[in-house]
Amino acid sequence: MAQIINDISRTFNEYLLIPGLTTKKCFPDNVSLKTPLVKYKKGQAPEIELNTPFVSAIMQSVSGSKMAIELARNGGLSFIFGSQPIDQQAEMVRKVKKFKAGFVISDANLTPDHTLSDVIKLKEKTGFSTIGITDDGSSNGKLLGIVTGRDYRPSRDSLDKKIKDFMTPFSKLITGNFGTTLSEANDIIWNNKLNALPIIDEEQKLKYFVFRKDYDSHKEYPNELLDSQKSLIVGAGINTRDYMERVPMLVDAGVDALCIDSSDGFSEYQQETIKYVREKYGDSVKIGAGNVVDKEGFLYLAEAGADFIKVGIGGGSICITREQKGIGRGQATSLIEVAQARDEYFDKTGIYIPICSDGGIVQDYHMVLALAMGADFIMMGRYFARFDESPTKKLIINGNYVKEYWGEGSNRARNWQRYDMGGSSSLKFEEGVDSYVPYAGKLKDNLDITLGKIKSTMCSCGETSIPDLKEKAKITLVSSTSIIEGGAHDVILKETKN
């Protein structure tokens, strides 16, 4: 008969943190959320550290270039989804690496022969009121003019009116030269009372816009995650099928870390993928693996050479792997066992391999529980899918704003590579659903609130760093009745007006 493990498979909802002594040093501004992304030897520093212990999930509906830029500016990391053509994924990586704070690549562009109707449609689609008019309608074509809301009146102008007849032509534009610093660009904006400054190269090709409204925001990113060249750090997801073609293109694009994207990482396919990276690039290319849920799976990937290991099967909000296959384990139980294996491996070998908790996060305090249980950082999909920066559409459903959110194992994603077990290249059945999540606004605004909660909770535990939290936090199991006790109860709640 099968080996029976009698330990109960538990979730984060079944635990609470017990307060520790809050000393005078325990205040939120004194809390450090720095954490290693990749493995390192005892006594040495990791080559990549996160300033915020969050990474965004390797999903079409979560991690595009916009998410990668904004999350890196806030100290975390995105793994750009791999269920797309290799050249498109590499271009997303390249876009993040080329990003300069304050210098915005134009995502709203048309040609002089487009019409006012096209302008209005583009504005509705993107939300951008400043449109670059280039010779080919691309973001880096030859700049011929710009259009803003002050150049037309929809109520009076014909929708068929050509852009060339109402745009501000290049001859009347004040521009900055490619290579201009942000400080110099802002001086030009202020001295000339501009709202936007186009930055062009020697061939008059549009490179960036610098906006007046962004001036103050540039000072709001003290935790930016940067490489030695002051470029943002970005990751990318790969699979175990086309890695020999995908990895070199991603490396050429400048990717900082790779992660094998799979619902089940305890696999010879992942071992072979890691081996390929090590033989071709040595330790210069960082690659994570997973997902696993126990000690045996962790040790297999550790010995294979993984730089970090993801933990969790079936705990995601849109994942139905457990329902479809009966495979998985409660996220808390998985994390506790793998963290213990990680620590034992460190004591034995002197090599510390960070682990990533992937799935099972519902409440913000679950993030602190995950860190206290041993996670070095946390991967989330639903949390990030709600924000402006995710790649999906914002819709109105039943009077409420939502964003689309679908799993990589859904037919919509058709990411058969992630769930591949060999054989024909098709998605045989779904392991994820297609859904909506409540729209929440900008990433930074929400992340600041979440990080504030995490820091406050850590202070209540008496700790000001993630390593100290792991070592000294106290956690207790809760009963079903104590969960009820923890919420509002035995009162009549007042109705709140929006």
Side-chain angles (χ1 to χ4, degrees), residues 27-158:
F27 54 92
D29 287 347
N30 201 35
V31 173
S32 170
L33 294 178
K34 275 187 171 292
T35 190
L37 177 75
V38 296
K39 69 183 178 184
Y40 59 93
K41 292 181 179 179
K42 188 174 184 178
Q44 298 180 356
E47 290 187 38
I48 304 176
E49 275 188 306
L50 301 173
N51 295 324
T52 300
F54 296 158
V55 297
S56 64
I58 310 169
M59 301 172 70
Q60 293 175 0
S61 56
V62 179
S63 296
S65 56
K66 285 186 180 179
M67 179 63 69
I69 288 169
E70 191 63 15
L71 186 51
R73 296 190 75 193
N74 284 278
L77 178 76
S78 284
F79 287 97
I80 290 175
F81 68 92
S83 51
Q84 61 176 319
I86 300 172
D87 58 338
Q88 292 181 21
Q89 187 187 22
E91 185 54 35
M92 284 189 179
V93 169
R94 201 171 282 112
K95 191 172 184 178
V96 179
K97 298 305 291 185
K98 288 181 178 179
F99 175 83
K100 293 183 179 180
F103 292 88
V104 180
I105 296 175
S106 179
D107 284 328
N109 306 280
L110 294 169
T111 70
D113 290 325
H114 279 98
T115 64
L116 177 57
S117 176
D118 296 316
V119 171
I120 294 171
K121 289 177 183 177
L122 186 60
K123 183 178 178 181
E124 289 176 350
K125 179 182 177 181
T126 65
F128 301 134
S129 57
T130 299
I131 298 174
I133 309 303
T134 60
D135 60 342
D136 59 2
S138 71
S139 61
N140 59 358
K142 184 177 181 180
L143 182 65
L144 302 178
I146 64 172
V147 169
T148 71
R150 292 182 294 184
D151 292 317
Y152 58 89
R153 289 186 292 179
S155 60
R156 296 191 180 185
D157 293 330
S158 169

Side-chain angles (χ1 to χ4, degrees), residues 210-316:
V210 178
F211 294 97
R212 174 188 287 262
K213 64 182 175 62
D214 290 338
Y215 175 74
D216 291 330
S217 71
H218 302 325
K219 302 175 183 178
E220 297 178 8
Y221 296 92
N223 292 319
E224 274 191 323
L225 195 64
L226 304 173
D227 62 20
S228 59
Q229 305 300 314
K230 304 299 182 184
S231 295
L232 295 175
I233 290 179
V234 62
I238 62 172
N239 62 70
T240 57
R241 278 290 187 108
D242 65 8
Y243 58 88
M244 290 186 184
E245 296 79 36
R246 190 173 294 269
V247 170
M249 288 190 68
L250 293 172
V251 171
D252 288 344
V255 74
D256 296 282
L258 303 170
C259 184
I260 305 172
D261 183 30
S262 173
S263 64
D264 178 9
F266 194 4
S267 158
E268 288 184 347
Y269 296 113
Q270 293 214 4
Q271 182 190 52
E272 290 174 357
T273 304
I274 296 169
K275 181 180 178 182
Y276 164 80
V277 170
R278 291 287 172 256
E279 289 178 348
K280 186 173 179 65
Y281 301 101
D283 292 328
S284 64
V285 171
K286 307 304 178 186
I287 179 169
N291 289 18
V292 299
V293 294
D294 62 5
K295 176 179 180 178
E296 191 177 1
F298 170 85
L299 291 175
Y300 183 81
L301 293 179
E303 293 300 329
D307 285 296
F308 62 86
I309 294 172
K310 289 205 296 150
V311 179
I313 294 177

